[in-house]
Amino acid sequence: MEVLREKVEEEEAAEREEGVEYPPRLEKMTKPPRKETATLTQEMLREMEQKLAEIEVPTPGEALEKDTIDISTLPLSYKTNTPKEEQLLQVADNFSSQYSHLCPDRVPLLLHPLNECQVPKFVSTTLRPTLMSYSDLYNWDSCAQFVSDFLTMVPLPDPIKPPTHLHSPTTVLKQQKGNCFDFSTLLCSMLIGSGYDAYCVSGYASRDLCAMDLTRELCPLTTKAKEVVLEEEKAPCKKYAIRPPRDLSSRFEQEQEMKRQEEIKAKEMKRLREEEERLLEVEKMAPDPLHGLRVHAWVLVLSGKREVPESFFIDPFTARSYSTQDEHFLGIESLWNHKNYWVNMQDCWNGCKGKEDEEKGFDMPHSWVEQIEISPEAFESRCPNGQKIIQYKKAKLEKWAPYLHSNGLVCCLSIYRDLECTDLLEIKQWYQNREDRLELRHINQETGLNVDYFKPGHPQALRVHAYKSMLPENDRVMEFYESARVDGLIKREETPTTMDEYFLGRADFLSSRHVKFGPRVKKLALNSPESNPRPVVKITERFSRNPKKPADEDVAERTFLMVEERIQLRYHCRDEHITASKREFLRRTEVDSKGNKIIMTPDMCISFEVEPMEHTKKLLYQFETMMQLKSEEKQCRHQAWESELEVLEILKLREEEEEAHTLTISIYDTKRNEKSKEYREAMERVMHEEHMRQMETQLDYLAPFLAQLPASEKLTRWQAVRLKDECLSDFKQRLIDKANLIQARFEKETQELQKKQQWYQENQLTLTSEDEDLYLSYCSQAMFRIRILEQRLNRHKELAPLKYLALEEKLYKDPRLMEFLKVFA
């Protein structure tokens, strides 16, 4: 203690000479008390040193390494090294000492870190090339996405040093967490097994990449693919063409308007530029003091194998691919695969640009890691605990395992207006296994527009449904799978007053129908197409060209004006013509003022014909056409009413589907499919009963009765007959007892079901929906058990006489009784 005190005094004196001044509180803490000077014995010092030595301050990496890993279940290759591996470790140590001597300023290489059993293993032998049994993991992008989703990122204990431990891919899969080296080792093993020329890379990367910080990156789901605009081919100029009408607008006014628009555009561009500069200033990160020193591991995929056209990097944290010249990667120290290990002897300050050296072969030992296996449950869950959240720039992405949500939600992307993610702009939700085939829902918070996208197989053949409200007679757009509809309807647009329908591939060449509705005559509390339909004011139908008809007889557009009592027809245009024929029919009363019946008059049909001398129609033809148009007008009205009813039916169906949101379960999914589970259990019971029956047939049916006789006494005829009768009587009683047992169980189940039904009748009005669901579930299970017992009882009654006769025949043929029972046969 005296030596320590003298040491402190010497240091304080030296600091006073150098002019160092302590704050009052710091000086009080550093200087030992002068008044109370207690001496410590040697035993007390040793005891204090022992207690201090027992105190351990684990770093985050050490805490991770000491995580609960049951090494007793691991194979021997995890706990020991083979002679070949020991030789490899010696070579690696020798190389490491030479490397540190030649490059004293470089960070030590990651050659043989400790595994989960605290055994040094060469990094190349930690790779275990494995081809996964799932077809979804055959390509590099799906493999990388699975590793990114399945594991949880753990930062390195020291951001500027490689880790001291490297777990096997099998342990990483069990723990579902790891650092960048664990991620890369697992991903590289899967890629090599899939046929890629992949390597693990140890080097340096940016802070965002090392910390898996995606708040400065755009979410891949928000980026839209660039649309390729095809240039339309210009039609060749005709020799004779109609001149366009003369432009009578003022050029001065046009120039003033252009100047005004340019000023508005310049102001808007300035505002956007200022807003972008402000956002860049907000997003600008503080300079990283460890830039170029942060250790990171990623995967390199070389071109050549699996038709990879160009080499690229894969960040295992985000599953993104990068160019080998990307600025996120700042340098490479070493890289390895399952066959060899390469060291970058060049300066890392030039990033990842370097010269390629000759590849030297090396006899690498086999991997000490077991084959990588992913259970179906783990592959389905994907994320740790079935859930993962990723924060992007102005967006948040949430992922869930299938069947985790009762509505089938597996992914949700929330897009925000601001960087703080407080002002929600839109939501995209992805679904799986929905019985209504709903795949994606896009919700715009600004406009209130919801767009639902469906897979093929919806009962109403829905493909897209865009709406703001689920109430009828509102703005909405419905798109359909035309191959699943008989009428060829592909799209329906509805507003409070109009309805537009578009068709494809119809036999009558109908391409679109426009219906305009008027206000309801009766104002009822319940306005719907069923109780109070809206009156149809106008219907316009357009038709595609029918090549089998002449253009002057092929209707291109027809309009029914119900209020004005007019029907307008416009025909298709002839080739090399610029005008088309037209007709208009005026519907009048069928009788005049004198009561005479009016059949047709010339003024009831106004027509314009391109070639009037060729196809001048008579009144009879016009009358027949008008009569046909009247019937078609009624049919169009009926079709418009049916469309209204169909919209109402679809909306009701969608409400029921959203309330139920039933999920489809495969018949092979025995854990979730209750019907399949019950069927499997019933089959197991039947097989067990069959096995028991076979066991009974293998038993000696005379053994219990022969045991009652003296061992030395010889069997007589009278004893043989008595043995036969006792054996048959006992078997008969057993059959009766079994029938009574099944009957008792059947009656018990029936009585319990009747009691439950009586209880339901008495308490039906006070039950909740959950109680009703439990009651229905109980009734279903009880009826299943009753049916099974009934079938067993009927089968037993049918087979009992046959079994009795079979046993009697066996007794007569038994060699021990055959001689005595010949007389009775």
Side-chain angles (χ1 to χ4, degrees):
M1 188 63 188
E2 296 294 332
V3 177
L4 292 174
R5 184 165 56 189
E6 291 175 2
K7 183 68 175 176
V8 173
E9 291 176 355
E10 290 176 2
E11 291 177 355
E12 290 177 354
E15 290 172 352
R16 282 195 296 270
E17 290 177 1
E18 294 176 0
V20 179
E21 296 182 358
Y22 285 98
R25 184 176 180 183
L26 185 59
E27 184 178 0
K28 183 178 180 181
M29 293 173 61
T30 55
K31 289 186 178 181
R34 297 290 183 179
K35 294 182 180 180
E36 299 178 359
T37 57
T39 58
L40 296 176
T41 62
Q42 293 295 331
E43 294 180 359
M44 297 174 66
L45 285 173
R46 283 195 297 270
E47 185 180 355
M48 181 176 66
E49 290 177 358
Q50 184 179 0
K51 290 183 178 179
L52 292 174
E54 293 176 356
I55 298 176
E56 295 182 0
V57 183
T59 61
E62 293 174 354
L64 175 64
E65 306 303 335
K66 294 182 180 180
D67 202 354
T68 55
I69 301 177
D70 187 9
I71 63 175
S72 62
T73 59
L74 297 177
L76 187 62
S77 60
Y78 286 60
K79 305 173 185 178
T80 59
N81 283 321
T82 62
K84 197 171 183 179
E85 288 178 325
E86 291 290 348
Q87 182 182 3
L88 177 60
L89 293 177
Q90 293 176 6
V91 173
D93 288 334
N94 185 19
F95 177 80
S96 179
S97 60
Q98 296 182 33
Y99 177 79
S100 60
H101 177 72
L102 295 175
C103 306
D105 299 332
R106 299 285 285 269
V107 176
L109 296 172
L110 183 69
L111 289 170
H112 44 72
L114 302 177
N115 67 354
E116 52 265 40
C117 297
Q118 308 300 317
V119 177
K121 294 287 185 178
F122 195 71
V123 289
S124 293
T125 61
T126 307
L127 292 173
R128 181 63 162 88
T130 306
L131 177 62
M132 297 291 103
S133 58
Y134 306 99
S135 59
D136 295 343
L137 301 182
Y138 187 63
N139 296 323
W140 72 265
D141 50 354
S142 56
C143 281
Q145 192 62 55
F146 173 79
V147 173
S148 174
D149 292 340
F150 192 75
L151 303 181
T152 301
M153 189 273 285
V154 177
L156 292 173
D158 191 342
I160 61 175
K161 291 183 181 180
T164 59
H165 290 71
L166 182 62
H167 288 177
S168 64
T170 55
T171 301
V172 172
L173 282 173
K174 290 178 182 178
Q175 291 187 324
Q176 283 194 266
K177 60 182 177 180
N179 53 41
C180 54
F181 288 87
D182 298 324
F183 273 67
S184 301
T185 303
L186 174 60
L187 177 58
C188 191
S189 300
M190 296 169 64
L191 292 180
I192 295 175
S194 298
Y196 288 95
D197 191 7
Y199 302 81
C200 284
V201 183
S202 174
Y204 308 95
S206 62
R207 178 168 56 184
D208 291 347
L209 215 62
C210 295
M212 196 183 172
D213 186 6
L214 299 175
T215 55
R216 295 168 56 84
E217 300 286 339
L218 292 175
C219 180
L221 297 176
T222 60
T223 57
K224 298 180 180 179
K226 295 183 179 179
E227 297 181 356
V228 180
V229 180
L230 300 176
E231 296 183 359
E232 297 182 357
E233 296 182 0
K234 295 182 178 180
C237 297
K238 297 181 180 179
K239 184 176 181 181
Y240 302 100
I242 299 176
R243 293 181 180 180
R246 188 174 182 180
D247 187 9
L248 301 178
S249 59
S250 173
R251 293 184 180 178
F252 175 77
E253 291 180 354
Q254 291 179 0
E255 292 175 357
Q256 294 297 320
E257 181 64 22
M258 290 177 61
K259 288 181 180 179
R260 191 174 68 84
Q261 294 293 338
E262 288 178 357
E263 291 177 358
I264 295 174
K265 187 176 181 181
K267 290 180 181 179
E268 184 66 19
M269 292 293 294
K270 183 180 179 181
R271 187 186 67 81
L272 292 176
R273 190 164 50 252
E274 292 176 353
E275 182 68 17
E276 186 176 355
E277 291 176 357
R278 186 186 68 82
L279 292 176
L280 289 175
E281 188 67 25
V282 172
E283 296 177 17
K284 189 176 180 181
M285 294 181 61
D288 186 11
L290 300 178
H291 183 74
L293 301 176
R294 295 183 181 274
V295 175
H296 191 55
W298 62 93
V299 175
L300 166 66
V301 179
L302 293 183
S303 59
K305 292 185 177 181
R306 289 293 305 272
E307 300 180 358
V308 176
E310 187 178 358
S311 303
F312 60 94
F313 290 149
I314 303 176
D315 178 36
F317 283 163
T318 60
R320 288 189 175 186
S321 62
Y322 296 87
S323 168
T324 54
Q325 310 294 329
D326 194 273
E327 59 183 5
H328 286 88
F329 303 93
L330 308 176
I332 294 178
E333 285 287 351
S334 61
L335 58 92
W336 61 91
N337 62 0
H338 62 297
K339 295 181 179 179
N340 212 334
Y341 187 95
W342 294 266
V343 179
N344 182 20
M345 299 298 294
Q346 305 173 69
D347 190 0
C348 290
W349 292 105
N350 294 327
C352 298
K353 303 174 183 177
K355 296 184 293 183
E356 296 183 0
D357 199 358
E358 296 181 359
E359 182 177 349
K360 298 178 181 180
F362 190 83
D363 187 15
M364 187 67 63
H366 294 291
S367 177
W368 55 273
V369 181
E370 283 189 321
Q371 185 176 358
I372 301 173
E373 294 182 356
I374 302 173
S375 63
E377 294 79 10
F379 179 73
E380 186 184 72
S381 65
R382 289 297 178 103
C383 307
N385 298 324
Q387 181 179 5
K388 195 163 192 176
I389 301 175
I390 305 174
Q391 193 71 38
Y392 291 96
K393 178 182 177 182
K394 297 183 181 180
K396 182 177 68 172
L397 182 63
E398 300 173 87
K399 297 180 180 181
W400 295 277
Y403 299 103
L404 187 63
H405 288 283
S406 58
N407 60 351
L409 182 64
V410 295
C411 186
C412 179
L413 175 64
S414 303
I415 303 175
Y416 300 87
R417 192 189 303 275
D418 54 342
L419 294 174
E420 293 78 13
C421 295
T422 57
D423 189 3
L424 187 60
L425 196 61
E426 56 181 313
I427 301 174
K428 291 183 178 180
Q429 298 174 341
W430 285 266
Y431 298 86
Q432 286 184 5
N433 306 312
R434 293 265 300 210
E435 197 173 61
D436 58 0
R437 313 300 292 169
L438 179 63
E439 182 180 19
L440 170 63
R441 173 169 293 159
H442 187 187
I443 305 173
N444 193 319
Q445 295 291 332
E446 285 188 326
T447 61
L449 179 65
N450 299 343
V451 184
D452 296 344
Y453 299 87
F454 299 84
K455 293 181 179 179
H458 189 269
Q460 295 291 342
L462 264 181
R463 188 170 69 88
V464 181
H465 183 202
Y467 58 95
K468 292 184 178 180
S469 172
M470 291 298 289
L471 297 176
E473 299 178 14
N474 281 279
D475 294 342
R476 73 181 68 257
V477 177
M478 293 182 180
E479 296 182 13
F480 303 88
Y481 290 97
E482 67 276 3
S483 59
R485 292 187 63 101
V486 180
D487 57 356
L489 180 65
I490 60 175
K491 188 177 181 181
R492 178 183 286 131
E493 298 178 355
E494 185 184 11
T495 67
T497 58
T498 62
M499 179 184 293
D500 292 284
E501 295 177 323
Y502 303 89
F503 304 89
L504 185 65
R506 285 179 62 109
D508 57 357
F509 295 92
L510 178 65
S511 60
S512 66
R513 179 187 293 124
H514 171 78
V515 182
K516 185 177 180 180
F517 300 97
R520 284 185 170 87
V521 180
K522 300 179 182 179
K523 294 184 178 180
L524 301 177
L526 179 61
N527 289 330
S528 68
E530 295 177 333
S531 61
N532 189 15
R534 292 177 292 177
V536 179
V537 177
K538 178 182 177 182
I539 298 178
T540 302
E541 292 183 332
R542 294 179 177 86
F543 299 85
S544 302
R545 181 74 174 90
N546 186 359
K548 295 182 180 180
K549 291 183 178 180
D552 290 341
E553 298 179 4
D554 189 13
V555 178
E557 179 182 307
R558 67 183 181 187
T559 305
F560 300 99
L561 301 171
M562 284 70 175
V563 178
E564 302 175 7
E565 295 188 347
R566 289 189 300 159
I567 302 175
Q568 298 175 349
L569 300 179
R570 180 175 63 82
Y571 296 88
H572 282 280
C573 185
R574 287 186 179 185
D575 296 337
E576 303 297 331
H577 283 66
I578 60 174
T579 57
S581 300
K582 298 180 181 179
R583 281 192 180 88
E584 182 175 358
F585 293 89
L586 304 178
R587 287 174 31 182
R588 296 179 180 175
T589 57
E590 297 182 355
V591 294
D592 57 7
S593 58
K594 296 181 181 180
N596 298 324
K597 187 175 182 181
I598 300 176
I599 299 177
M600 190 70 185
T601 58
D603 59 345
M604 294 177 63
C605 177
I606 304 172
S607 62
F608 167 77
E609 297 181 0
V610 178
E611 300 291 343
M613 300 302 295
E614 294 183 7
H615 303 285
T616 303
K617 304 298 181 183
K618 297 183 180 180
L619 289 178
L620 179 60
Y621 172 82
Q622 296 174 358
F623 174 74
E624 292 175 351
T625 304
M626 189 174 68
M627 291 296 103
Q628 183 180 358
L629 290 174
K630 284 185 178 182
S631 63
E632 290 177 351
E633 179 182 343
K634 294 180 181 179
Q635 185 178 359
C636 288
R637 282 186 178 183
H638 182 74
Q639 290 174 349
W641 180 72
E642 285 186 344
S643 297
E644 282 192 282
L645 292 180
E646 185 180 6
V647 171
L648 187 63
E649 182 182 354
I650 292 175
L651 294 180
K652 289 181 179 179
L653 179 62
R654 290 294 301 127
E655 289 180 358
E656 294 174 358
E657 291 171 345
E658 287 299 324
E659 290 178 0
H661 48 73
T662 309
L663 302 181
T664 59
I665 300 175
S666 172
I667 59 174
Y668 303 105
D669 191 352
T670 56
K671 292 185 177 180
R672 297 189 181 95
N673 198 320
E674 294 296 333
K675 293 182 179 179
S676 177
K677 185 178 180 181
E678 292 177 358
Y679 178 75
R680 187 181 71 256
E681 292 176 353
M683 291 299 296
E684 289 177 355
R685 285 195 298 269
V686 171
M687 292 177 64
H688 178 70
E689 293 175 359
E690 183 68 23
H691 176 71
M692 294 302 296
R693 282 195 295 269
Q694 293 178 0
M695 293 295 295
E696 290 178 358
T697 57
Q698 296 176 2
L699 296 177
D700 187 3
Y701 37 83
L702 284 178
F705 305 98
L706 290 173
Q708 300 176 4
L709 300 177
S712 59
E713 185 177 350
K714 192 175 181 180
L715 190 66
T716 63
R717 182 186 297 273
W718 177 81
Q719 290 176 339
V721 174
R722 187 167 60 87
L723 282 176
K724 176 184 72 73
D725 295 340
E726 289 180 355
C727 184
L728 289 175
S729 177
D730 181 75
F731 183 69
K732 181 179 179 181
Q733 188 62 38
R734 285 174 56 194
L735 293 175
I736 295 173
D737 293 342
K738 185 175 181 180
N740 293 332
L741 179 62
I742 299 174
Q743 181 70 26
R745 291 179 180 176
F746 176 81
E747 293 176 355
K748 181 181 179 182
E749 290 288 345
T750 306
Q751 292 175 1
E752 291 180 355
L753 179 61
Q754 291 176 353
K755 290 180 181 179
K756 197 69 175 180
Q757 291 175 347
Q758 184 179 0
W759 171 84
Y760 177 76
Q761 294 293 335
E762 295 174 355
N763 304 283
Q764 184 176 5
L765 300 177
T766 59
L767 293 179
T768 62
S769 58
E770 295 180 358
D771 294 337
E772 291 184 355
D773 293 340
L774 292 175
Y775 168 74
L776 294 175
S777 176
Y778 171 80
C779 290
S780 177
Q781 296 176 3
M783 289 300 297
F784 176 78
R785 292 193 296 268
I786 290 172
R787 285 196 297 270
I788 293 296
L789 290 172
E790 185 179 4
Q791 292 175 3
R792 290 180 62 188
L793 183 60
N794 294 333
R795 181 177 175 81
H796 180 72
K797 290 179 179 179
E798 293 175 0
L799 297 179
L802 301 177
K803 291 179 180 180
Y804 185 85
L805 294 176
L807 179 60
E808 187 177 13
E809 185 178 357
K810 287 181 181 180
L811 291 175
Y812 278 108
K813 293 181 180 180
D814 191 283
R816 293 165 293 184
L817 306 178
M818 186 183 301
E819 297 180 358
F820 304 104
L821 300 179
K822 285 182 179 179
V823 181
F824 304 98

